Amino acid sequence: MATLQRVNKKGKKEYSDNLAGFIMSSPAIILLVAFLIIPIIYTIYYSFFTYQVVRPDNIKFNAIGNYAKLFKDANFYVALKNTIYFTVIVVPVQCILALVLALMVSSKKKGVAIFRTLYYSPQITSMVIIAVLWTILYNSNANTGLINAFLKSIGLQPIDFLNNPKTAMNSIIFMSAWQGAGYQMMI
C-alpha cells in the first residue's frame, strides 16, 4: 500500500494519481466488463451449443456445427457483404461530414449556435422518431413522401427508396450518416 500513497510536505498521506485514475475509471470499466466483455464471452460459449432461450434445459453440445451451418447459408454472405458495404461507406462519409460541420460551427459567425443545435439534435432524438421521419421522407407515394413530392414538382419520377434493392441500402446509409454526424461533429 505504500506505493499507492505519498507524503506531502506537511506530513499528510496522499493517494497517488494512479490510484485516483483507477478509482475514477472503475465505474466505466465495470460497465464495460458487465455489458460488453461478459456477453461476448457468453456468445462465443453458446455458439458451440444447440440452445433455445425458451428451452434452456434442452442444451446440446454440437462443436462447430453452428459455424458449418452458417458458412453454408447463402444469406450469411449477403449479410456480410451488406455489412462491409455499409461500414466502408458510412464511416468515411460520416467523418468527412462531421469534420466539415465542425469547421462550420467553430467559426465566430452569427447563427452558429442555432446551426450547431440543428445538427446535434438527431443525436439526442429517439431512433424511433428518426426512423418515422425518414420513412415519411422516403415514402414512395408522391402525395405523402416529401422527397418524392419534391421530385414530382420539378418533373422527375418518384423513387422507391426503401422497397427497391438498388436504392434501399444507399438510402439507409444516407440516413445513418446524417444521424451520427452531429455526435462526430461535437467530438
Side-chain angles (χ1 to χ4, degrees):
M1 191 73 174
T3 60
L4 298 176
Q5 294 180 348
R6 62 179 174 218
V7 179
N8 65 13
K9 292 179 183 179
K10 295 180 183 178
K12 293 183 180 178
K13 290 183 179 179
E14 295 178 348
Y15 289 103
S16 72
D17 293 338
N18 291 340
L19 180 61
F22 179 75
I23 290 170
M24 289 184 186
S25 63
S26 63
I29 293 170
I30 290 168
L31 290 172
L32 181 74
V33 168
F35 293 105
L36 186 70
I37 305 298
I38 292 173
I40 288 173
I41 291 169
Y42 270 101
T43 300
I44 293 169
Y45 172 75
Y46 282 120
S47 71
F48 295 104
F49 291 88
T50 300
Y51 179 79
Q52 296 176 1
V53 176
V54 294
R55 299 250 347 253
D57 57 327
N58 189 16
I59 186 168
K60 294 178 185 144
F61 181 73
N62 71 353
I64 60 170
N66 290 335
Y67 291 103
K69 188 176 176 183
L70 176 71
F71 290 120
K72 290 179 184 175
D73 189 359
N75 290 331
F76 169 72
Y77 293 104
V78 172
L80 184 64
K81 181 187 82 135
N82 287 339
T83 302
I84 291 169
Y85 177 73
F86 181 87
T87 305
V88 165
I89 302 296
V90 166
V91 171
V93 167
Q94 197 173 61
C95 288
I96 291 168
L97 181 61
L99 179 62
V100 169
L101 292 172
L103 292 172
M104 290 172 67
V105 299
S106 66
S107 68
K108 302 283 185 203
K109 294 181 181 173
K110 192 174 184 177
V112 168
I114 294 169
F115 183 76
R116 188 181 303 132
T117 303
L118 288 173
Y119 272 93
Y120 190 70
S121 62
Q123 190 59 41
I124 58 174
T125 305
S126 168
M127 276 303 293
V128 173
I129 294 171
I130 290 173
V132 169
L133 170 72
W134 281 95
T135 301
I136 293 168
L137 289 170
Y138 284 150
N139 193 327
S140 60
N141 185 343
N143 295 325
T144 57
L146 297 178
I147 296 173
N148 280 323
F150 173 74
L151 292 175
K152 185 179 176 184
S153 72
I154 61 172
L156 297 174
Q157 291 295 319
I159 300 171
D160 194 5
F161 289 103
L162 298 177
N163 294 323
N164 184 345
K166 293 180 181 178
T167 59
M169 179 61 85
N170 292 328
S171 300
I172 293 169
I173 286 172
F174 182 80
M175 181 207 65
S176 181
W178 169 84
Q179 193 268 336
Y183 178 73
Q184 300 294 334
M185 172 191 73
M186 294 305 283
I187 290 175

